[in-house]
Amino acid sequence: MVNVALLALRLTSGSLLVGHGAQKLFGWFGGNGLDGTAGWLESLNLKPGKPWAIAAGASEFGGGLLMILGFLNPVGPLSALGSMGMATAKAHWGKPIWAASGGAELPVTNAAITTALMLTGPGTFSLDRLLHTKLPRWVLVPGLAGVAGAVAAGVVLSARQEHEQTEQQAAGVQARHEEAPAI
């Protein structure tokens, strides 16, 4: 039954992640496509937005597909975990946890599922089992370090861009104030 449960987790979560990534990459399922996603990510100070949109969409789409197939575990779950970490940090941070309030309920749930799949493996009903593919367990350590580093870099870079934007706005206000005629 554990293998059936792992299959159910992989198929459900993986399919939803593929769809989520397809919204970003291709505009499918009511998504905004690359240009719309890029604009939204730029509003979060992830600039330039297009590479961030490609990275987010590809990690969700590709990670979800690898999860569905149960192939090259833990690469798929790690990929999706990075996107969920960035979503939590940039789009949902500081809000109540529930999705109805704009919170991180969904990415936190996805992160829990991907973590479980990383730790348990994809199970019997997987391409890894069929093809006798098994990545070494130590892959998790640099994989998790890479995910954490990418999320941290994104947060730091966006904070720096937000700071620069604030400084430019303040300089513009100061310049307009200095140009204004004295009364």
Side-chain angles (χ1 to χ4, degrees):
M1 295 312 278
V2 169
N3 288 303
V4 174
L6 289 171
L7 179 63
L9 274 178
R10 287 191 1 250
L11 293 178
T12 304
S13 183
S15 295
L16 291 170
L17 284 165
V18 165
H20 205 58
Q23 289 178 313
K24 290 175 176 68
L25 293 172
F26 314 119
W28 297 352
F29 311 115
N32 295 318
L34 274 179
D35 291 336
T37 302
W40 173 68
L41 290 172
E42 286 196 3
S43 76
L44 297 175
N45 288 306
L46 292 167
K47 299 175 185 176
K50 196 150 206 170
W52 285 105
I54 291 169
S59 68
E60 292 167 357
F61 189 88
L65 185 59
L66 288 173
M67 286 169 55
I68 290 168
L69 298 172
F71 187 54
L72 298 177
N73 192 74
V75 174
L78 277 168
S79 178
L81 183 63
S83 184
M84 294 303 105
M86 187 59 95
T88 299
K90 288 303 300 172
H92 304 287
W93 197 261
K95 298 174 184 169
I97 189 67
W98 307 115
S101 301
E105 176 184 2
L106 180 60
V108 168
T109 300
N110 283 330
I113 293 167
T114 59
T115 300
L117 290 171
M118 279 187 289
L119 297 175
T120 62
T124 300
F125 308 114
S126 65
L127 277 183
D128 277 351
R129 179 63 65 96
L130 180 68
L131 301 174
H132 304 289
T133 307
K134 186 167 182 159
L135 296 179
R137 298 292 288 165
W138 61 261
V139 167
L140 269 174
V141 175
L144 287 170
V147 166
V151 171
V155 170
V156 168
L157 288 172
S158 68
R160 184 177 299 150
Q161 289 173 344
E162 185 174 349
H163 178 72
E164 289 171 1
Q165 183 180 5
T166 302
E167 283 184 341
Q168 289 172 352
Q169 289 171 346
V173 168
Q174 180 66 30
R176 284 192 300 276
H177 178 69
E178 290 173 1
E179 292 174 1
I183 298 181

